[in-house]
PDB file of all heavy atoms in Angstrom:
ATOM      1  N   ILE A 106    -111.187  69.601   9.781  1.00  0.00           N
ATOM      2  CA  ILE A 106    -110.487  70.864  10.135  1.00  0.00           C
ATOM      3  C   ILE A 106    -110.942  71.351  11.501  1.00  0.00           C
ATOM      4  O   ILE A 106    -111.704  70.650  12.214  1.00  0.00           O
ATOM      5  CB  ILE A 106    -110.755  71.930   9.026  1.00  0.00           C
ATOM      6  CG1 ILE A 106    -112.242  72.197   8.939  1.00  0.00           C
ATOM      7  CG2 ILE A 106    -110.190  71.455   7.748  1.00  0.00           C
ATOM      8  CD1 ILE A 106    -112.561  73.294   7.901  1.00  0.00           C
ATOM      9  N   SER A 107    -110.512  72.521  11.893  1.00  0.00           N
ATOM     10  CA  SER A 107    -110.667  72.965  13.271  1.00  0.00           C
ATOM     11  C   SER A 107    -112.117  73.163  13.703  1.00  0.00           C
ATOM     12  O   SER A 107    -112.407  73.189  14.877  1.00  0.00           O
ATOM     13  CB  SER A 107    -109.907  74.267  13.477  1.00  0.00           C
ATOM     14  OG  SER A 107    -110.295  75.296  12.617  1.00  0.00           O
ATOM     15  N   ASN A 108    -113.044  73.383  12.766  1.00  0.00           N
ATOM     16  CA  ASN A 108    -114.455  73.513  13.163  1.00  0.00           C
ATOM     17  C   ASN A 108    -115.166  72.168  13.109  1.00  0.00           C
ATOM     18  O   ASN A 108    -116.397  72.142  13.133  1.00  0.00           O
ATOM     19  CB  ASN A 108    -115.152  74.527  12.184  1.00  0.00           C
ATOM     20  CG  ASN A 108    -115.211  74.038  10.804  1.00  0.00           C
ATOM     21  OD1 ASN A 108    -114.773  72.937  10.445  1.00  0.00           O
ATOM     22  ND2 ASN A 108    -115.832  74.890   9.928  1.00  0.00           N
ATOM     23  N   ASN A 109    -114.390  71.097  13.156  1.00  0.00           N
ATOM     24  CA  ASN A 109    -114.926  69.748  13.186  1.00  0.00           C
ATOM     25  C   ASN A 109    -115.730  69.334  11.908  1.00  0.00           C
ATOM     26  O   ASN A 109    -116.610  68.473  11.975  1.00  0.00           O
ATOM     27  CB  ASN A 109    -115.799  69.510  14.456  1.00  0.00           C
ATOM     28  CG  ASN A 109    -115.026  69.520  15.702  1.00  0.00           C
ATOM     29  OD1 ASN A 109    -113.872  69.022  15.731  1.00  0.00           O
ATOM     30  ND2 ASN A 109    -115.557  70.112  16.783  1.00  0.00           N
ATOM     31  N   THR A 110    -115.421  70.011  10.866  1.00  0.00           N
ATOM     32  CA  THR A 110    -116.037  69.685   9.527  1.00  0.00           C
ATOM     33  C   THR A 110    -115.054  68.834   8.723  1.00  0.00           C
ATOM     34  O   THR A 110    -113.876  69.165   8.616  1.00  0.00           O
ATOM     35  CB  THR A 110    -116.343  70.968   8.768  1.00  0.00           C
ATOM     36  OG1 THR A 110    -117.306  71.753   9.507  1.00  0.00           O
ATOM     37  CG2 THR A 110    -116.935  70.635   7.354  1.00  0.00           C
ATOM     38  N   ALA A 111    -115.566  67.742   8.194  1.00  0.00           N
ATOM     39  CA  ALA A 111    -114.696  66.863   7.362  1.00  0.00           C
ATOM     40  C   ALA A 111    -114.873  67.337   5.901  1.00  0.00           C
ATOM     41  O   ALA A 111    -116.001  67.500   5.389  1.00  0.00           O
ATOM     42  CB  ALA A 111    -115.107  65.425   7.501  1.00  0.00           C
ATOM     43  N   ILE A 112    -113.763  67.553   5.209  1.00  0.00           N
ATOM     44  CA  ILE A 112    -113.777  67.976   3.866  1.00  0.00           C
ATOM     45  C   ILE A 112    -112.913  67.074   2.986  1.00  0.00           C
ATOM     46  O   ILE A 112    -111.847  66.670   3.396  1.00  0.00           O
ATOM     47  CB  ILE A 112    -113.187  69.467   3.738  1.00  0.00           C
ATOM     48  CG1 ILE A 112    -114.034  70.424   4.594  1.00  0.00           C
ATOM     49  CG2 ILE A 112    -113.156  69.963   2.273  1.00  0.00           C
ATOM     50  CD1 ILE A 112    -113.478  71.808   4.640  1.00  0.00           C
ATOM     51  N   ASP A 113    -113.427  66.725   1.802  1.00  0.00           N
ATOM     52  CA  ASP A 113    -112.633  65.868   0.922  1.00  0.00           C
ATOM     53  C   ASP A 113    -111.581  66.738   0.263  1.00  0.00           C
ATOM     54  O   ASP A 113    -111.803  67.739  -0.369  1.00  0.00           O
ATOM     55  CB  ASP A 113    -113.546  65.291  -0.173  1.00  0.00           C
ATOM     56  CG  ASP A 113    -114.503  64.255   0.379  1.00  0.00           C
ATOM     57  OD1 ASP A 113    -114.231  63.684   1.429  1.00  0.00           O
ATOM     58  OD2 ASP A 113    -115.579  64.057  -0.226  1.00  0.00           O
ATOM     59  N   MET A 114    -110.316  66.315   0.409  1.00  0.00           N
ATOM     60  CA  MET A 114    -109.139  67.021  -0.154  1.00  0.00           C
ATOM     61  C   MET A 114    -108.214  66.045  -0.766  1.00  0.00           C
ATOM     62  O   MET A 114    -108.331  64.807  -0.643  1.00  0.00           O
ATOM     63  CB  MET A 114    -108.458  67.858   0.944  1.00  0.00           C
ATOM     64  CG  MET A 114    -109.265  68.852   1.666  1.00  0.00           C
ATOM     65  SD  MET A 114    -108.239  69.960   2.667  1.00  0.00           S
ATOM     66  CE  MET A 114    -109.509  70.775   3.662  1.00  0.00           C
ATOM     67  N   PHE A 115    -107.213  66.573  -1.439  1.00  0.00           N
ATOM     68  CA  PHE A 115    -106.105  65.731  -1.936  1.00  0.00           C
ATOM     69  C   PHE A 115    -104.854  66.237  -1.281  1.00  0.00           C
ATOM     70  O   PHE A 115    -104.678  67.364  -0.868  1.00  0.00           O
ATOM     71  CB  PHE A 115    -105.950  65.706  -3.486  1.00  0.00           C
ATOM     72  CG  PHE A 115    -105.700  67.061  -4.137  1.00  0.00           C
ATOM     73  CD1 PHE A 115    -104.414  67.416  -4.468  1.00  0.00           C
ATOM     74  CD2 PHE A 115    -106.753  67.910  -4.453  1.00  0.00           C
ATOM     75  CE1 PHE A 115    -104.172  68.608  -5.169  1.00  0.00           C
ATOM     76  CE2 PHE A 115    -106.511  69.130  -5.058  1.00  0.00           C
ATOM     77  CZ  PHE A 115    -105.222  69.477  -5.429  1.00  0.00           C
ATOM     78  N   GLN A 116    -103.912  65.328  -1.087  1.00  0.00           N
ATOM     79  CA  GLN A 116    -102.671  65.591  -0.336  1.00  0.00           C
ATOM     80  C   GLN A 116    -101.524  65.993  -1.269  1.00  0.00           C
ATOM     81  O   GLN A 116    -101.357  65.384  -2.346  1.00  0.00           O
ATOM     82  CB  GLN A 116    -102.283  64.362   0.442  1.00  0.00           C
ATOM     83  CG  GLN A 116    -101.036  64.478   1.310  1.00  0.00           C
ATOM     84  CD  GLN A 116    -100.778  63.189   2.052  1.00  0.00           C
ATOM     85  OE1 GLN A 116    -101.697  62.430   2.430  1.00  0.00           O
ATOM     86  NE2 GLN A 116     -99.467  62.918   2.325  1.00  0.00           N
ATOM     87  N   ILE A 117    -100.753  66.984  -0.862  1.00  0.00           N
ATOM     88  CA  ILE A 117     -99.610  67.419  -1.701  1.00  0.00           C
ATOM     89  C   ILE A 117     -98.375  67.603  -0.776  1.00  0.00           C
ATOM     90  O   ILE A 117     -98.497  67.692   0.445  1.00  0.00           O
ATOM     91  CB  ILE A 117     -99.923  68.808  -2.351  1.00  0.00           C
ATOM     92  CG1 ILE A 117    -100.177  69.863  -1.314  1.00  0.00           C
ATOM     93  CG2 ILE A 117    -101.078  68.667  -3.350  1.00  0.00           C
ATOM     94  CD1 ILE A 117    -100.432  71.241  -1.913  1.00  0.00           C
ATOM     95  N   ASP A 118     -97.195  67.584  -1.366  1.00  0.00           N
ATOM     96  CA  ASP A 118     -95.976  67.769  -0.566  1.00  0.00           C
ATOM     97  C   ASP A 118     -95.305  69.138  -0.849  1.00  0.00           C
ATOM     98  O   ASP A 118     -94.223  69.421  -0.363  1.00  0.00           O
ATOM     99  CB  ASP A 118     -95.032  66.674  -0.718  1.00  0.00           C
ATOM    100  CG  ASP A 118     -94.395  66.582  -2.130  1.00  0.00           C
ATOM    101  OD1 ASP A 118     -94.824  67.297  -3.077  1.00  0.00           O
ATOM    102  OD2 ASP A 118     -93.360  65.849  -2.280  1.00  0.00           O
ATOM    103  N   ALA A 119     -95.917  69.948  -1.711  1.00  0.00           N
ATOM    104  CA  ALA A 119     -95.384  71.280  -1.919  1.00  0.00           C
ATOM    105  C   ALA A 119     -95.461  72.141  -0.680  1.00  0.00           C
ATOM    106  O   ALA A 119     -96.439  71.988   0.091  1.00  0.00           O
ATOM    107  CB  ALA A 119     -96.144  72.016  -3.042  1.00  0.00           C
ATOM    108  N   ALA A 120     -94.481  72.941  -0.371  1.00  0.00           N
ATOM    109  CA  ALA A 120     -94.490  73.745   0.839  1.00  0.00           C
ATOM    110  C   ALA A 120     -95.576  74.804   0.817  1.00  0.00           C
ATOM    111  O   ALA A 120     -95.625  75.620  -0.094  1.00  0.00           O
ATOM    112  CB  ALA A 120     -93.092  74.413   0.967  1.00  0.00           C
ATOM    113  N   ILE A 121     -96.458  74.760   1.809  1.00  0.00           N
ATOM    114  CA  ILE A 121     -97.437  75.752   2.011  1.00  0.00           C
ATOM    115  C   ILE A 121     -97.418  76.173   3.463  1.00  0.00           C
ATOM    116  O   ILE A 121     -97.236  75.333   4.308  1.00  0.00           O
ATOM    117  CB  ILE A 121     -98.851  75.282   1.555  1.00  0.00           C
ATOM    118  CG1 ILE A 121     -99.237  74.028   2.259  1.00  0.00           C
ATOM    119  CG2 ILE A 121     -98.970  75.213   0.079  1.00  0.00           C
ATOM    120  CD1 ILE A 121    -100.660  73.548   1.905  1.00  0.00           C
ATOM    121  N   ASN A 122     -97.635  77.475   3.700  1.00  0.00           N
ATOM    122  CA  ASN A 122     -97.475  78.016   5.038  1.00  0.00           C
ATOM    123  C   ASN A 122     -98.583  78.996   5.322  1.00  0.00           C
ATOM    124  O   ASN A 122     -99.455  79.298   4.472  1.00  0.00           O
ATOM    125  CB  ASN A 122     -96.107  78.655   5.235  1.00  0.00           C
ATOM    126  CG  ASN A 122     -94.968  77.665   5.142  1.00  0.00           C
ATOM    127  OD1 ASN A 122     -94.684  76.973   6.066  1.00  0.00           O
ATOM    128  ND2 ASN A 122     -94.292  77.572   3.968  1.00  0.00           N
ATOM    129  N   ASN A 123     -98.551  79.589   6.554  1.00  0.00           N
ATOM    130  CA  ASN A 123     -99.531  80.577   6.908  1.00  0.00           C
ATOM    131  C   ASN A 123     -99.490  81.674   5.862  1.00  0.00           C
ATOM    132  O   ASN A 123     -98.496  82.229   5.507  1.00  0.00           O
ATOM    133  CB  ASN A 123     -99.200  81.204   8.266  1.00  0.00           C
ATOM    134  CG  ASN A 123     -99.275  80.219   9.399  1.00  0.00           C
ATOM    135  OD1 ASN A 123     -99.996  79.175   9.283  1.00  0.00           O
ATOM    136  ND2 ASN A 123     -98.633  80.524  10.528  1.00  0.00           N
ATOM    137  N   GLY A 124    -100.678  81.990   5.303  1.00  0.00           N
ATOM    138  CA  GLY A 124    -100.804  82.985   4.222  1.00  0.00           C
ATOM    139  C   GLY A 124    -101.042  82.414   2.916  1.00  0.00           C
ATOM    140  O   GLY A 124    -101.463  83.054   1.969  1.00  0.00           O
ATOM    141  N   ASN A 125    -100.781  81.109   2.720  1.00  0.00           N
ATOM    142  CA  ASN A 125    -101.029  80.395   1.469  1.00  0.00           C
ATOM    143  C   ASN A 125    -102.480  80.061   1.269  1.00  0.00           C
ATOM    144  O   ASN A 125    -102.912  79.724   0.144  1.00  0.00           O
ATOM    145  CB  ASN A 125    -100.228  79.151   1.374  1.00  0.00           C
ATOM    146  CG  ASN A 125     -98.796  79.352   0.802  1.00  0.00           C
ATOM    147  OD1 ASN A 125     -97.872  79.380   1.572  1.00  0.00           O
ATOM    148  ND2 ASN A 125     -98.700  79.542  -0.488  1.00  0.00           N
ATOM    149  N   SER A 126    -103.265  80.083   2.327  1.00  0.00           N
ATOM    150  CA  SER A 126    -104.670  79.694   2.245  1.00  0.00           C
ATOM    151  C   SER A 126    -105.444  80.430   1.110  1.00  0.00           C
ATOM    152  O   SER A 126    -105.446  81.614   1.003  1.00  0.00           O
ATOM    153  CB  SER A 126    -105.424  79.973   3.531  1.00  0.00           C
ATOM    154  OG  SER A 126    -105.273  78.990   4.475  1.00  0.00           O
ATOM    155  N   GLY A 127    -106.134  79.635   0.284  1.00  0.00           N
ATOM    156  CA  GLY A 127    -106.897  80.225  -0.758  1.00  0.00           C
ATOM    157  C   GLY A 127    -106.181  80.301  -2.101  1.00  0.00           C
ATOM    158  O   GLY A 127    -106.755  80.682  -3.122  1.00  0.00           O
ATOM    159  N   GLY A 128    -104.852  80.054  -2.064  1.00  0.00           N
ATOM    160  CA  GLY A 128    -104.080  80.203  -3.309  1.00  0.00           C
ATOM    161  C   GLY A 128    -104.301  78.979  -4.193  1.00  0.00           C
ATOM    162  O   GLY A 128    -104.777  77.939  -3.819  1.00  0.00           O
ATOM    163  N   PRO A 129    -103.894  79.099  -5.503  1.00  0.00           N
ATOM    164  CA  PRO A 129    -104.162  78.042  -6.429  1.00  0.00           C
ATOM    165  C   PRO A 129    -103.137  76.907  -6.387  1.00  0.00           C
ATOM    166  O   PRO A 129    -101.970  77.100  -6.097  1.00  0.00           O
ATOM    167  CB  PRO A 129    -104.057  78.760  -7.800  1.00  0.00           C
ATOM    168  CG  PRO A 129    -103.036  79.832  -7.515  1.00  0.00           C
ATOM    169  CD  PRO A 129    -103.333  80.274  -6.105  1.00  0.00           C
ATOM    170  N   ILE A 130    -103.603  75.674  -6.668  1.00  0.00           N
ATOM    171  CA  ILE A 130    -102.747  74.521  -6.878  1.00  0.00           C
ATOM    172  C   ILE A 130    -102.848  74.239  -8.394  1.00  0.00           C
ATOM    173  O   ILE A 130    -103.938  74.102  -8.920  1.00  0.00           O
ATOM    174  CB  ILE A 130    -103.194  73.310  -6.079  1.00  0.00           C
ATOM    175  CG1 ILE A 130    -103.129  73.624  -4.556  1.00  0.00           C
ATOM    176  CG2 ILE A 130    -102.267  72.111  -6.384  1.00  0.00           C
ATOM    177  CD1 ILE A 130    -101.773  74.009  -4.045  1.00  0.00           C
ATOM    178  N   ILE A 131    -101.693  74.210  -9.029  1.00  0.00           N
ATOM    179  CA  ILE A 131    -101.686  74.254 -10.519  1.00  0.00           C
ATOM    180  C   ILE A 131    -101.019  73.010 -11.062  1.00  0.00           C
ATOM    181  O   ILE A 131    -100.037  72.496 -10.509  1.00  0.00           O
ATOM    182  CB  ILE A 131    -100.855  75.506 -10.984  1.00  0.00           C
ATOM    183  CG1 ILE A 131    -101.472  76.789 -10.254  1.00  0.00           C
ATOM    184  CG2 ILE A 131    -100.874  75.668 -12.481  1.00  0.00           C
ATOM    185  CD1 ILE A 131    -100.364  77.828 -10.053  1.00  0.00           C
ATOM    186  N   ASN A 132    -101.544  72.453 -12.156  1.00  0.00           N
ATOM    187  CA  ASN A 132    -100.962  71.300 -12.792  1.00  0.00           C
ATOM    188  C   ASN A 132     -99.865  71.739 -13.805  1.00  0.00           C
ATOM    189  O   ASN A 132     -99.691  72.918 -14.042  1.00  0.00           O
ATOM    190  CB  ASN A 132    -101.990  70.350 -13.422  1.00  0.00           C
ATOM    191  CG  ASN A 132    -102.726  70.983 -14.601  1.00  0.00           C
ATOM    192  OD1 ASN A 132    -102.310  72.005 -15.174  1.00  0.00           O
ATOM    193  ND2 ASN A 132    -103.847  70.356 -14.988  1.00  0.00           N
ATOM    194  N   ARG A 133     -99.262  70.754 -14.445  1.00  0.00           N
ATOM    195  CA  ARG A 133     -98.151  71.084 -15.360  1.00  0.00           C
ATOM    196  C   ARG A 133     -98.602  71.717 -16.631  1.00  0.00           C
ATOM    197  O   ARG A 133     -97.786  72.148 -17.465  1.00  0.00           O
ATOM    198  CB  ARG A 133     -97.355  69.802 -15.655  1.00  0.00           C
ATOM    199  CG  ARG A 133     -98.076  68.754 -16.364  1.00  0.00           C
ATOM    200  CD  ARG A 133     -97.210  67.447 -16.497  1.00  0.00           C
ATOM    201  NE  ARG A 133     -97.774  66.441 -17.351  1.00  0.00           N
ATOM    202  CZ  ARG A 133     -98.759  65.639 -17.040  1.00  0.00           C
ATOM    203  NH1 ARG A 133     -99.315  65.696 -15.818  1.00  0.00           N
ATOM    204  NH2 ARG A 133     -99.181  64.728 -17.920  1.00  0.00           N
ATOM    205  N   PHE A 134     -99.902  71.792 -16.852  1.00  0.00           N
ATOM    206  CA  PHE A 134    -100.414  72.451 -18.085  1.00  0.00           C
ATOM    207  C   PHE A 134    -100.812  73.905 -17.808  1.00  0.00           C
ATOM    208  O   PHE A 134    -101.297  74.552 -18.698  1.00  0.00           O
ATOM    209  CB  PHE A 134    -101.621  71.684 -18.626  1.00  0.00           C
ATOM    210  CG  PHE A 134    -101.301  70.285 -19.036  1.00  0.00           C
ATOM    211  CD1 PHE A 134    -101.549  69.187 -18.187  1.00  0.00           C
ATOM    212  CD2 PHE A 134    -100.703  70.016 -20.248  1.00  0.00           C
ATOM    213  CE1 PHE A 134    -101.222  67.923 -18.527  1.00  0.00           C
ATOM    214  CE2 PHE A 134    -100.371  68.694 -20.653  1.00  0.00           C
ATOM    215  CZ  PHE A 134    -100.619  67.658 -19.764  1.00  0.00           C
ATOM    216  N   GLY A 135    -100.617  74.360 -16.570  1.00  0.00           N
ATOM    217  CA  GLY A 135    -100.996  75.712 -16.218  1.00  0.00           C
ATOM    218  C   GLY A 135    -102.441  75.907 -15.817  1.00  0.00           C
ATOM    219  O   GLY A 135    -102.931  77.035 -15.771  1.00  0.00           O
ATOM    220  N   GLN A 136    -103.112  74.786 -15.495  1.00  0.00           N
ATOM    221  CA  GLN A 136    -104.548  74.896 -15.054  1.00  0.00           C
ATOM    222  C   GLN A 136    -104.598  74.754 -13.561  1.00  0.00           C
ATOM    223  O   GLN A 136    -103.886  73.990 -12.910  1.00  0.00           O
ATOM    224  CB  GLN A 136    -105.315  73.717 -15.641  1.00  0.00           C
ATOM    225  CG  GLN A 136    -105.352  73.667 -17.190  1.00  0.00           C
ATOM    226  CD  GLN A 136    -105.895  72.317 -17.670  1.00  0.00           C
ATOM    227  OE1 GLN A 136    -105.398  71.280 -17.337  1.00  0.00           O
ATOM    228  NE2 GLN A 136    -106.978  72.403 -18.369  1.00  0.00           N
ATOM    229  N   VAL A 137    -105.547  75.506 -12.978  1.00  0.00           N
ATOM    230  CA  VAL A 137    -105.760  75.446 -11.528  1.00  0.00           C
ATOM    231  C   VAL A 137    -106.665  74.218 -11.278  1.00  0.00           C
ATOM    232  O   VAL A 137    -107.741  74.088 -11.833  1.00  0.00           O
ATOM    233  CB  VAL A 137    -106.477  76.716 -11.015  1.00  0.00           C
ATOM    234  CG1 VAL A 137    -106.845  76.537  -9.519  1.00  0.00           C
ATOM    235  CG2 VAL A 137    -105.566  77.907 -11.208  1.00  0.00           C
ATOM    236  N   ILE A 138    -106.153  73.291 -10.447  1.00  0.00           N
ATOM    237  CA  ILE A 138    -106.924  72.085 -10.189  1.00  0.00           C
ATOM    238  C   ILE A 138    -107.280  71.966  -8.658  1.00  0.00           C
ATOM    239  O   ILE A 138    -107.928  71.031  -8.267  1.00  0.00           O
ATOM    240  CB  ILE A 138    -106.136  70.790 -10.533  1.00  0.00           C
ATOM    241  CG1 ILE A 138    -104.835  70.705  -9.816  1.00  0.00           C
ATOM    242  CG2 ILE A 138    -105.907  70.788 -12.072  1.00  0.00           C
ATOM    243  CD1 ILE A 138    -104.094  69.395  -9.963  1.00  0.00           C
ATOM    244  N   GLY A 139    -106.886  72.971  -7.864  1.00  0.00           N
ATOM    245  CA  GLY A 139    -107.232  72.884  -6.446  1.00  0.00           C
ATOM    246  C   GLY A 139    -107.001  74.203  -5.728  1.00  0.00           C
ATOM    247  O   GLY A 139    -106.415  75.160  -6.291  1.00  0.00           O
ATOM    248  N   ILE A 140    -107.410  74.242  -4.473  1.00  0.00           N
ATOM    249  CA  ILE A 140    -107.213  75.403  -3.583  1.00  0.00           C
ATOM    250  C   ILE A 140    -106.413  74.954  -2.373  1.00  0.00           C
ATOM    251  O   ILE A 140    -106.882  74.062  -1.640  1.00  0.00           O
ATOM    252  CB  ILE A 140    -108.539  76.051  -3.183  1.00  0.00           C
ATOM    253  CG1 ILE A 140    -109.440  76.323  -4.381  1.00  0.00           C
ATOM    254  CG2 ILE A 140    -108.291  77.275  -2.330  1.00  0.00           C
ATOM    255  CD1 ILE A 140    -110.838  76.783  -3.964  1.00  0.00           C
ATOM    256  N   ALA A 141    -105.310  75.604  -2.109  1.00  0.00           N
ATOM    257  CA  ALA A 141    -104.495  75.308  -0.907  1.00  0.00           C
ATOM    258  C   ALA A 141    -105.339  75.643   0.311  1.00  0.00           C
ATOM    259  O   ALA A 141    -105.808  76.797   0.447  1.00  0.00           O
ATOM    260  CB  ALA A 141    -103.165  76.048  -0.939  1.00  0.00           C
TER     261      ALA A 141
END
């Protein structure tokens, strides 16, 4: 990322834009499995 820190993440194709940061990524069972 911009501060030159490498972070382990997973890749998604759902549309996320400015303001989505910190929001939940949710699986089909209604559980939060990640942070956008």
Side-chain angles (χ1 to χ4, degrees):
I106 60 176
S107 58
N108 64 1
N109 293 321
T110 298
I112 301 176
D113 290 337
M114 301 191 194
F115 61 98
Q116 183 181 327
I117 60 176
D118 70 346
I121 52 176
N122 294 281
N123 295 341
N125 274 101
S126 273
I130 301 299
I131 308 150
N132 67 13
R133 66 187 188 279
F134 299 98
Q136 299 170 300
V137 174
I138 61 169
I140 306 173

